[in-house]
């Protein structure tokens, strides 16, 4: 009977955060199949550790487990000769938000553009951006999920956002250039 | 405050993570300083793009929030020990196919009894406990059935009049922060034994339901109380003869920011339109 109670409590407290778990895993691994594997693994670990969980809000607790499972998974992928994850090393940080707001706002709603741009971020920047902008966690919660001090969360968010706006601007410019070319305009 | 101090605070300012004094300092500086004002607007534009690109626009590309596929959900639930049964228990299942249904019914019954017992043992019955449960149920129902809005609009001038003639009161409908907490719409709901207004606000990929209805005549004005139930953040207060219940699956701190916006507008003496 105790096992059933644990299971019911787990379903009630942890299962509602399945979407949050999958969302984070999908953004970090960038592949649906890997994300599903990671989430399954994470839920198994979560169930085993559930006896130690006190409290009502299991979201951050679960996301910590998911996040760790993701980074382990990414490590394995790298060591098996997977593609390099950091594609934005050629970006030079200007240290400020200097994108043109109108250029960005023109493309709001362009999910593909935004999705690709976020995926170009390195995992440690992508992680905090996703947790903040898409999952809506507070700095304190992000710090506990990513297991870093709040100051690190703040600086990673800063750099992550600055990089993201540069990537977005670059992608928009590239897209506009090829569209102009396609129309037979000057290259 | 100078630019060197302000720059690193632009992010926390936009995220609502600064204390009030620092928030005001940053705001003042942004209004006076061209460079920081520009940077602040660039950041705001970036966040708008991140938020609005997530909403469904029906063109087939995946949203920014990835929901778990149904097959994954089924697999996870099947993984749980009650589902993944040891051989001995599996035999039990085959003989009594109604086992799991009966177990579920038992749990529901025990759960209801537990709630009733808790309520009986409390020296003064706490009606708020029951309402909190209904508020959560209302929130979950609105999400599950995808029935969040009867009237869908981000303009209070469309939402407020819609309730006219449908309720015996006029809910106070306001817009707060267009970026952080945009108004999405409203609908009728039924709580605490009566029709109520549900105002829906968004935050990133989440929805906040703000339920409101007239309070009892002798109900005292109370400041917001916060709690977390079943993974949902809830806030409750009474103002100007009206009950307010806010519920969401965002972080409690986020709901708190929302409620602070709402109560700030309520405290400012404004004429209801």
């Amino acid at each position: 009977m105790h096992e059933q109670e644990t299971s019911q409590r787990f379903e009630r407290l942890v299962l509602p955060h399945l979407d949050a778990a999958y969302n984070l895993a999908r953004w970090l691994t960038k592949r649906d199949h890997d994300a599903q594997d990671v989430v399954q693994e994470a839920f198994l670990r979560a169930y085993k550790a559930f006896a130690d969980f006190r409290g009502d809000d299991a979201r951050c607790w679960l996301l910590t487990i998911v996040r760790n499972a993701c980074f382990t998974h990414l490590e394995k992928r790298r060591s098996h000769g997977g593609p390099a994850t950091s594609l934005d090393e050629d970006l030079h940080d200007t240290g400020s938000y200097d994108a043109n707001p109108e250029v960005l706002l023109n493309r709001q709603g362009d999910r593909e553009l935004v999705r690709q741009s976020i995926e170009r971020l390195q995992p440690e920047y992508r992680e905090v951006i996703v947790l903040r902008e898409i999952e809506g966690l507070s700095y304190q919660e992000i710090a506990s999920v990513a297991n870093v001090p709040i100051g690190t969360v703040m600086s990673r968010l800063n750099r992550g956002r600055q990089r993201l706006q540069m990537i977005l601007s670059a992608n928009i410019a590239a897209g506009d250039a090829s569209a102009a070319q396609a129309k037979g305009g000057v290259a | 405050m100078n630019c060197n101090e302000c720059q690193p605070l632009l992010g926390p300012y936009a995220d609502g993570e600064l204390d009030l004094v620092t928030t005001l300092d940053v705001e003042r500086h942004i209004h006076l300083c061209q460079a920081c004002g520009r940077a602040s607007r660039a950041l705001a534009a970036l966040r708008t793009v991140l938020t609005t690109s997530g909403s469904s626009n029906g063109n087939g590309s995946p949203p920014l929030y990835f929901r778990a596929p149904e097959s994954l959900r089924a697999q996870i639930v099947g993984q749980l020990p009650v589902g993944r049964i040891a051989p001995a228990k599996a035999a039990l299942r085959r003989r009594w196919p109604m086992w799991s249904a009966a177990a579920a019914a038992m749990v529901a019954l025990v759960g209801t009894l537990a709630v009733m017992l808790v309520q009986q043992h409390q020296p003064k019955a706490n009606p708020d406990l029951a309402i909190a449960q209904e508020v959560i149920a209302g929130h979950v129902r609105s999400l599950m059935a995808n029935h969040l809005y009867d009237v869908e609009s981000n303009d209070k001038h469309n939402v407020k009049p819609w309730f006219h003639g449908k309720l015996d009161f006029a809910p106070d409908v306001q817009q707060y922060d267009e970026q952080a907490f945009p108004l999405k719409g409203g609908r009728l709901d039924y709580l605490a034994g009566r029709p109520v207004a549900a105002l829906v606000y968004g935050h990133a990929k989440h929805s906040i339901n703000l339920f409101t209805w007239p309070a009892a005549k002798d109900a005292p004005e109370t400041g917001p109380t916060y709690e977390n139930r079943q993974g949902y953040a809830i806030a409750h207060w009474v103002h100007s003869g009206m009950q307010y219940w806010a519920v969401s699956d965002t972080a409690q701190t986020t709901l708190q920011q929302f409620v602070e916006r709402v109560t700030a507008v309520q405290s400012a003496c404004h004429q209801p339109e």
Side-chain angles (χ1 to χ4, degrees):
Chain A
M1 206 55 204
H2 182 64
E3 182 72 62
Q4 192 170 35
E5 279 169 16
T6 310
S7 183
Q8 303 284 359
R9 184 166 166 259
F10 186 87
E11 259 195 75
R12 191 166 49 83
L13 288 182
V14 182
L15 202 53
H17 304 297
L18 173 58
D19 280 339
Y22 179 76
N23 180 60
L24 180 61
R26 177 65 177 75
W27 277 111
L28 287 180
T29 61
K30 299 201 270 189
R31 299 179 202 163
D32 168 61
H33 187 177
D34 293 3
Q36 294 208 33
D37 282 348
V38 163
V39 169
Q40 292 222 36
E41 171 68 30
F43 266 78
L44 277 172
R45 286 194 212 169
Y47 192 83
K48 289 203 185 101
F50 191 53
D52 295 330
F53 174 69
R54 304 266 174 273
D56 299 321
D57 187 356
R59 178 165 66 155
C60 288
W61 176 79
L62 178 66
L63 287 181
T64 307
I65 300 174
V66 170
R67 177 256 179 216
N68 290 337
C70 282
F71 278 95
T72 307
H73 184 94
L74 289 173
E75 260 309 308
K76 269 199 215 139
R77 215 156 77 182
R78 246 197 301 272
S79 70
H80 285 148
T85 52
S86 53
L87 301 173
D88 61 344
E89 277 163 357
D90 54 342
L91 289 174
H92 299 296
D93 294 326
T94 59
S96 73
Y97 298 103
D98 50 12
N100 184 334
E102 276 82 46
V103 169
L104 292 181
L105 289 172
N106 260 347
R107 304 302 285 267
Q108 65 181 288
D110 189 339
R111 284 181 281 172
E112 197 52 31
L113 167 74
V114 178
R115 193 183 57 81
Q116 281 176 7
S117 303
I118 296 177
E119 285 193 349
R120 277 188 64 184
L121 287 170
Q122 284 167 313
E124 58 266 28
Y125 296 123
R126 202 177 334 131
E127 173 181 26
V128 295
I129 295 259
V130 168
L131 289 175
R132 176 77 273 274
E133 304 283 11
I134 299 180
E135 193 57 50
L137 298 189
S138 71
Y139 285 11
Q140 181 62 62
E141 289 166 331
I142 299 174
S144 85
V145 169
N147 199 25
V148 294
I150 281 201
T152 307
V153 173
M154 285 171 57
S155 63
R156 280 190 191 169
L157 260 178
N158 234 12
R159 283 186 104 193
R161 280 165 164 164
Q162 285 164 10
R163 289 187 171 199
L164 184 55
Q165 63 154 26
M166 287 171 67
I167 295 171
L168 266 171
S169 304
N171 279 346
I172 291 172
D176 289 347
S178 57
Q181 240 181 349
K183 280 188 190 156
V186 180
Chain B
M1 174 169 286
N2 62 41
C3 295
N4 282 338
E5 291 164 328
C6 184
Q7 263 288 329
L9 294 178
L10 288 179
Y13 168 72
D15 293 324
E17 292 270 353
L18 296 175
D19 60 74
L20 187 58
V21 172
T22 317
T23 302
L24 293 174
D25 282 344
V26 170
E27 254 175 26
R28 240 193 315 271
H29 181 86
I30 292 177
H31 280 127
L32 297 173
C33 169
Q34 268 203 335
C36 291
R38 238 194 330 265
S40 169
R41 280 191 294 282
L43 173 56
L46 174 69
R47 301 190 67 228
T48 300
V49 172
L50 290 177
T51 318
T52 58
S53 301
S55 44
S56 168
N57 63 12
N59 72 355
S61 52
L64 287 189
Y65 198 99
F66 293 104
R67 301 220 170 268
E70 270 315 304
S71 54
L72 176 62
R73 184 176 295 273
Q75 269 178 313
I76 301 273
V77 173
Q79 244 171 235
L80 293 176
V82 169
R84 186 188 54 192
I85 310 171
K89 288 187 196 160
L92 192 68
R93 248 214 167 167
R94 272 194 289 275
R95 266 182 276 154
W96 289 293
M98 294 300 288
W99 170 256
S100 52
M106 264 293 279
V107 168
L109 180 65
V110 167
T112 314
L113 283 174
V115 170
M116 284 168 55
L117 281 172
V118 164
Q119 287 180 334
Q120 267 185 322
H121 278 171
Q122 287 175 337
K124 298 174 204 159
N126 187 352
D128 282 355
L129 191 78
I131 296 185
Q133 286 298 118
E134 285 191 75
V135 163
I136 294 177
H139 177 70
V140 173
R141 246 195 337 265
S142 71
L143 296 176
M144 271 171 46
N146 212 8
H147 175 220
L148 275 166
Y149 324 111
D150 290 333
V151 52
E152 187 170 357
S153 169
N154 59 5
D155 187 341
K156 64 183 180 184
H157 299 107
N158 289 332
V159 175
K160 187 179 164 80
W162 180 87
F163 288 101
H164 186 64
K166 300 189 176 74
L167 288 171
D168 60 357
F169 65 97
D172 182 31
V173 184
Q174 299 293 345
Q175 287 162 235
Y176 306 105
D177 184 331
E178 293 301 304
Q179 285 192 1
F181 304 111
L183 174 66
K184 305 303 276 284
R187 72 175 183 283
L188 289 178
D189 213 310
Y190 194 86
L191 279 179
R194 57 154 302 142
V196 305
L199 307 173
V200 187
Y201 295 84
H203 179 78
K205 295 313 300 157
H206 302 279
S207 297
I208 303 174
N209 268 300
L210 178 61
F211 296 101
T212 178
W213 65 91
K217 279 203 184 64
D218 52 354
E221 187 119 335
T222 63
T225 52
Y226 299 93
E227 58 169 337
N228 234 293
R229 284 181 161 268
Q230 295 162 238
Y232 297 98
I234 312 182
H236 168 228
W237 71 100
V238 178
H239 174 79
S240 224
M242 297 290 288
Q243 291 273 3
Y244 292 92
W245 288 82
V247 56
S248 181
D249 44 351
T250 58
Q252 178 141 337
T253 46
T254 308
L255 188 71
Q256 203 159 335
Q257 287 163 22
F258 171 71
V259 171
E260 276 163 18
R261 299 281 215 290
V262 179
T263 51
V265 170
Q266 288 177 346
S267 311
C269 295
H270 67 277
Q271 299 301 318
E273 289 158 52

